[in-house]
């Protein structure tokens, strides 16, 4: 552990619900509902064209930078890639202190990024890529406790040797990721618990090849993990409960031929059932990562979270059945971790359709009645709206990206599918404006061709195939930012971007929606029309969710500009903070 102290400011103690102060941004979603909406309105449609860079902080680590800062009192708290935490003066950007987590290894399944912190009173909490959860003093960054959540050395990653030996992967194929536990999400704090989930449980073998990114799913009987979410005591760090997204109980589910919303999954149920006994223990390596920060219903104490794809990723030959509860929206009791309900968006997922964008809580009207709802933007390209108490699907939105050959089975010759493995939408958080009954969703149009090939190995082995995808040509990809009505699911407007959108949105009471592009543009749209009102250009991809806050009566907009390596967006190290001129 290393702490660099530049100066120390007096600690302002705050209540458990840190998000109560409108001038602050003290939880990942600016409230436990995950709305990511700011009630600030000093910057509005009439003056946003005057917005200028107030200050910039460079963290010194040029790598995928997805952090969403917290602002509490007069201080910004920011995580960096490889798990540093930095405290900055929110008005000037002056560094106050810096904590550097002593990583046991910088190698991670899913890259070095971290999506942010949680806070409770005088404490900050961070999950690390090497499997730890740590608590820091908020006033000086000193370590309070450090708990190992999972032993990453027990993970077995895929390789291009062994079963894939002899498979044509190109002369320069390089492994850039594989299945292994890691922790990238911003934790959530509720009722003296800090809650965090594991990622990478069904990540798949990620290769950088001559033809670009290739992800391979291979059921080799060794790789694959079970994703989980766990709760820890904020004072001691002691684990209180742990819920695994995959268990041996009802792993096969109902053998659904259709998704719960009625789409054909193109499954060979008879073939799957014939191998069910042989692969009855496949749940032990079943996947189901927890990628993003849960929403919390403070009245019921329920958590709402999404689970990742099953393992092996895409290749389903060794995991017959629905593979519960992967690729699902799930409600848990925060006191015990007991499951209340689950809705599986994609049973027997063969396309990498994680439920990875953070769920959001709001009210909607259904059959003339007000209903407490939970919504989630899917990789499938729909925004799903559910009854929060029962999990019943109330409706899906209009598709916010093109859909073509959705749920087609991968083939030897290849089948091109939209959305591909990138989504729909990915981990990017949405924004809810309840006054407008609107949700703002960033989208990805990047078709992918899925292949299922036979291995050159012993026919007596249980695994005979591998599945992978290749993205289509770059000129066929773009992004969307959509306004969707929360009462009807109808698209209200859509802004098309040059590149697939990764990072998320911010909406404010000034009538603005902020987001960014992978080529370095940060922009503001009119919330009513989607018209672009302002933009700022710099070199690094803007692929993190913005926030807004005030200091001494002045409103600021802050966003990390550090790109996204796996998407091909230039990595950087900048935090950009904007305000109106004095």
């Amino acid at each position: 552990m290393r702490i660099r102290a530049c100066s120390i400011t007096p600690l302002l103690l705050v209540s458990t619900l840190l998000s109560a102060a409108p001038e602050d941004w003290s939880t990942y979603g600016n409230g436990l509902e995950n709305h990511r909406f700011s009630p600030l309105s000093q910057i509005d449609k009439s003056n946003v064209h005057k917005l200028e860079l107030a200050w910039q902080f460079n963290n010194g680590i040029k790598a995928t930078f997805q952090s969403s800062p917290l602002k509490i009192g007069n201080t910004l708290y920011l995580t960096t890639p490889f798990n540093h935490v930095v405290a900055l003066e929110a008005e000037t950007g002056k560094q106050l202190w810096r904590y550097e987590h002593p990583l046991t290894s910088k190698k991670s399944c899913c890259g070095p990024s971290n999506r942010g912190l949680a806070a409770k009173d005088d404490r900050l909490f961070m999950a690390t890529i090497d499997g730890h959860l740590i608590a820091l003093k908020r006033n000086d960054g000193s370590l309070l406790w450090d708990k190992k959540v999972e032993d990453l050395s027990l993970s077995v990653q895929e390789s291009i040797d062994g079963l894939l030996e002899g498979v044509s992967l190109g002369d320069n194929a390089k492994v850039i990721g594989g299945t292994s536990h890691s922790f990238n999400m911003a934790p959530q704090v509720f009722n003296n618990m800090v809650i965090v989930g594991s990622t990478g449980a069904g990540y798949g073998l990620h290769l950088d090849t001559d033809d670009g990114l290739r992800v391979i799913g291979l059921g080799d009987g060794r790789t694959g993990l079970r994703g989980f979410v766990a709760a820890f005591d904020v004072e001691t760090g002691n684990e209180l409960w742990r819920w695994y997204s995959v268990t041996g109980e009802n792993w096969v589910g109902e053998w659904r031929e259709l998704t719960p919303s009625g789409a054909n999954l193109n499954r060979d149920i008879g073939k799957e059932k014939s191998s069910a006994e042989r692969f009855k223990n496949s749940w032990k390596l079943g996947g189901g990562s927890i990628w993003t920060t849960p929403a919390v219903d403070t009245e019921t104490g329920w958590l709402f979270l999404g689970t990742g794809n099953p393992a092996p990723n895409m290749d389903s030959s060794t995991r017959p059945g629905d593979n519960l509860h992967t690729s699902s929206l799930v409600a848990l009791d925060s006191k015990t971790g007991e499951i209340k309900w689950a809705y599986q968006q994609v049973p027997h997922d063969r396309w990498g359709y994680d439920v990875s964008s953070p769920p959001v809580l709001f009210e909607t009207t259904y059959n003339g009645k007000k209903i407490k709802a939970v919504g989630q933007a899917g990789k499938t390209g729909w925004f799903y709206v559910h009854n929060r108490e029962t999990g019943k699907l109330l409706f899906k939105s209009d598709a916010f990206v093109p859909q073509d050959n959705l749920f087609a089975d991968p083939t030897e010759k290849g089948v091109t599918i939209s959305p591909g493995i990138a989504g729909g939408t990915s981990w990017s958080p949405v924004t809810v404006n309840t006054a407008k009954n609107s949700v703002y969703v960033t989208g990805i149009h990047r078709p992918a061709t899925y292949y299922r090939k036979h291995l050159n190995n012993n026919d007596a082995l249980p695994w005979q195939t591998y599945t992978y995808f290749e993205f289509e040509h770059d000129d066929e990809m773009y992004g969307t930012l959509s306004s969707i009505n929360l009462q009807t699911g109808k698209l209200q407007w859509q802004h098309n971007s040059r590149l697939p959108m990764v990072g998320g949105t911010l909406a404010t009471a000034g009538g603005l929606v902020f987001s960014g592009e992978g080529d370095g543009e940060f922009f503001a749209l009119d919330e009513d029309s989607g018209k672009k009102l302002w933009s700022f250009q710099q070199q690094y991809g803007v692929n993190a969710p913005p926030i807004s806050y005030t200091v001494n009566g002045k409103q600021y907009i802050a966003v990390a500009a550090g790109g996204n390596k796996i998407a091909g967006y230039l990595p950087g190290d900048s935090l950009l903070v904007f305000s109106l001129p004095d």
Side-chain angles (χ1 to χ4, degrees), residues 75-399:
T75 306
L76 278 181
Y77 302 96
L78 177 72
T79 61
T80 76
F82 299 109
N83 297 122
H84 295 196
V85 182
V86 183
L88 307 171
E89 285 187 355
E91 189 171 19
T92 66
K94 178 184 177 182
Q95 182 172 307
L96 304 174
W97 55 257
R98 184 173 186 136
Y99 169 87
E100 300 180 12
H101 174 66
L103 290 167
T104 54
S105 172
K106 287 191 174 182
K107 184 179 180 182
S108 169
C109 65
C110 326
S113 64
N114 180 277
R115 293 179 183 153
L117 298 156
K120 169 73 163 64
D121 297 332
D122 64 342
R123 298 172 181 233
L124 298 170
F125 305 94
M126 177 176 64
T128 70
I129 60 173
D130 64 344
H132 291 244
L133 178 65
I134 65 170
L136 304 176
K137 283 187 178 180
R138 192 156 58 80
N139 66 332
D140 62 7
S142 58
L143 184 69
L144 290 169
W145 50 256
D146 180 337
K147 296 291 183 178
K148 181 184 286 188
V149 180
E150 191 69 12
D151 187 350
L152 271 59
S153 68
L154 300 179
S155 304
V156 178
Q157 286 200 5
E158 303 90 343
S159 73
I160 57 177
D161 301 319
L163 293 175
L164 286 174
E165 194 168 342
V167 172
S168 177
L169 299 173
D171 295 334
N172 301 305
K174 179 183 177 182
V175 176
I176 57 173
T179 296
S180 173
H181 280 304
S182 187
F183 298 84
N184 303 85
M185 66 176 274
Q188 187 69 281
V189 169
F190 179 63
N191 277 357
N192 293 315
M193 294 178 292
V194 56
I195 299 157
V196 66
S198 71
T199 59
Y203 197 56
L205 180 64
H206 281 53
L207 301 176
D208 185 8
T209 74
D210 294 334
D211 296 319
L213 175 68
R214 181 181 289 187
V215 179
I216 296 176
L218 174 68
D220 67 356
R222 300 177 304 121
T223 58
L225 298 161
R226 292 192 296 154
F228 64 87
V229 61
F232 300 83
D233 185 278
V234 296
E235 296 293 333
T236 65
N238 292 335
E239 185 170 326
L240 302 174
W241 55 257
R242 182 176 296 214
W243 178 81
Y244 285 94
S245 53
V246 168
T247 68
E249 183 180 353
N250 203 24
W251 161 243
V252 298
E254 300 176 21
W255 305 95
R256 290 181 177 270
E257 295 185 356
L258 307 177
T259 68
S261 61
N264 192 333
L265 287 164
N266 299 296
R267 292 171 67 176
D268 187 338
I269 299 294
K271 184 178 180 181
E272 287 182 44
K273 286 185 175 181
S274 69
S275 63
E277 178 63 24
R278 187 182 191 186
F279 298 117
K280 64 183 179 181
N281 291 322
S282 58
W283 65 270
K284 294 181 179 180
L285 303 172
S289 296
I290 313 296
W291 285 101
T292 45
T293 305
V296 183
D297 185 324
T298 57
E299 293 183 3
T300 63
W302 290 10
L303 307 175
F304 298 87
L305 53 92
T307 66
N309 56 263
N313 191 357
M314 299 178 292
D315 195 274
S316 62
S317 58
T318 58
R319 49 173 174 84
D322 296 346
N323 311 142
L324 299 181
H325 292 289
T326 61
S327 301
S328 299
L329 180 65
V330 178
L332 302 179
D333 186 335
S334 65
K335 294 179 182 178
T336 62
E338 174 192 3
I339 188 169
K340 308 305 289 187
W341 56 257
Y343 177 92
Q344 192 172 37
Q345 288 182 7
V346 186
H348 196 67
D349 183 1
R350 287 157 286 162
W351 307 276
Y353 289 149
D354 311 80
V355 179
S356 53
S357 179
V360 289
L361 307 182
F362 53 91
E363 286 191 351
T364 189
T365 302
Y366 184 71
N367 290 338
K369 295 182 178 180
K370 283 279 189 184
I371 292 181
K372 291 182 177 181
V374 54
Q376 198 276 330
K379 272 193 169 184
T380 56
W382 291 296
F383 185 79
Y384 296 80
V385 177
H386 300 259
N387 183 309
R388 202 186 305 174
E389 181 179 356
T390 65
K392 177 185 176 181
L393 181 68
L394 303 178
F395 58 85
K396 295 183 305 186
S397 73
D398 294 338

Side-chain angles (χ1 to χ4, degrees), residues 14 24 32 133 164 194 328 336 360 412 458 483 486 547 569:
V14 293
D24 286 348
L32 297 178
L133 178 65
L164 286 174
V194 56
S328 299
T336 62
V360 289
E412 180 86 14
N458 186 342
S483 172
L486 287 173
I547 71 164
Y569 302 151

